Amino acid sequence: LISIVSPSLLERVNFLAGGFSARYGDRMSSVFEMKLKDGYRTRFESDLNLNLGGFSLASDGPLPGGGAMVFSVRRGVFDIITSAMGEPALPSYWDVVGKVTYDLGNAHRLSLVGFYFPDDLEIAADPEGEDRHGIWPGLSLERHDHGNALGLNWRCLLGERGFALTTASYVSNSWTTDRGTEEEPALI
């Protein structure tokens, strides 16, 4: 149920389990390729969705100067619902994804793509030390995953049969996990 990219932003997804072309270099097992759509250049659309899984806002439309954008922000609500019921929290997750595209003349296109996601899970130890949640009595767990990426693509058409694509990108992922009890805070 949880993904980093909203399906409403995707133009195409390919999974190649083997036999892929030289385009993918020295990949040894499989390739998952996804392409975000460019966004509408003549009209603006937004979609707001709220359900038991969470809420999302997706926007798509033109930008000043002839550009286009797509944008999505989503937030899961399982943790809010379960904490209101006094149960252990399920993961808290967000994701923000966006793409801005500008055509610079007939032969050049510039695209900026970015995403950010923080995922958190916290289960506090039961103060009575009882095993009412199916976990060890007195065990607490915290897990924090964060990732972001930013990419700048410049595509240049080289006549009718060729193009050059130059990409600069930044990717960062981090995660921490703490688990233990009051007596042994770093229990593994």
Side-chain angles (χ1 to χ4, degrees):
L1 296 174
I2 300 171
S3 65
I4 295 173
V5 177
S6 173
S8 65
L9 299 185
L10 295 174
E11 178 179 308
R12 181 180 67 239
V13 174
N14 290 321
F15 177 72
L16 307 169
F20 35 85
S21 69
R23 172 182 179 186
Y24 299 104
D26 60 352
R27 304 301 183 263
M28 299 192 58
S29 59
S30 61
V31 172
F32 181 77
E33 176 186 62
M34 66 180 170
K35 179 174 174 30
L36 295 179
K37 63 184 183 176
D38 283 335
Y40 295 120
R41 293 182 183 267
T42 57
R43 68 180 192 269
F44 185 80
E45 289 187 2
S46 287
D47 179 39
L48 180 62
N49 188 355
L50 176 63
N51 59 46
L52 286 176
F55 74 84
S56 65
L57 171 66
S59 294
D60 185 349
L63 291 173
M69 66 88 182
V70 292
F71 173 79
S72 169
V73 60
R74 299 183 306 163
R75 166 67 158 96
V77 294
F78 291 126
D79 61 314
I80 297 169
I81 293 169
T82 56
S83 66
M85 295 171 21
E87 295 296 322
L90 289 173
S92 164
Y93 69 93
W94 287 82
D95 61 65
V96 178
V97 178
K99 179 179 180 182
V100 173
T101 305
Y102 276 96
D103 290 329
L104 308 173
N106 293 332
H108 300 276
R109 173 173 283 182
L110 200 58
S111 298
L112 178 65
V113 178
F115 77 82
Y116 172 70
F117 71 90
D119 295 338
D120 297 307
L121 172 66
E122 294 182 21
I123 300 176
D126 189 337
E128 285 86 38
E130 297 177 12
D131 185 16
R132 65 180 197 140
H133 301 301
I135 60 174
W136 292 342
L139 177 70
S140 64
L141 172 69
E142 286 187 32
R143 176 155 176 118
H144 307 282
D145 298 327
H146 297 261
N148 58 67
L150 190 62
L152 181 65
N153 296 313
W154 170 41
R155 188 195 70 194
C156 175
L157 298 178
L158 304 172
E160 293 182 16
R161 298 181 182 229
F163 70 93
L165 179 63
T166 304
T167 301
S169 63
Y170 166 80
V171 177
S172 172
N173 290 307
S174 66
W175 61 91
T176 59
T177 302
D178 294 322
R179 58 185 166 225
T181 63
E182 282 188 26
E183 293 80 25
E184 297 180 59
L187 178 69
I188 294 179

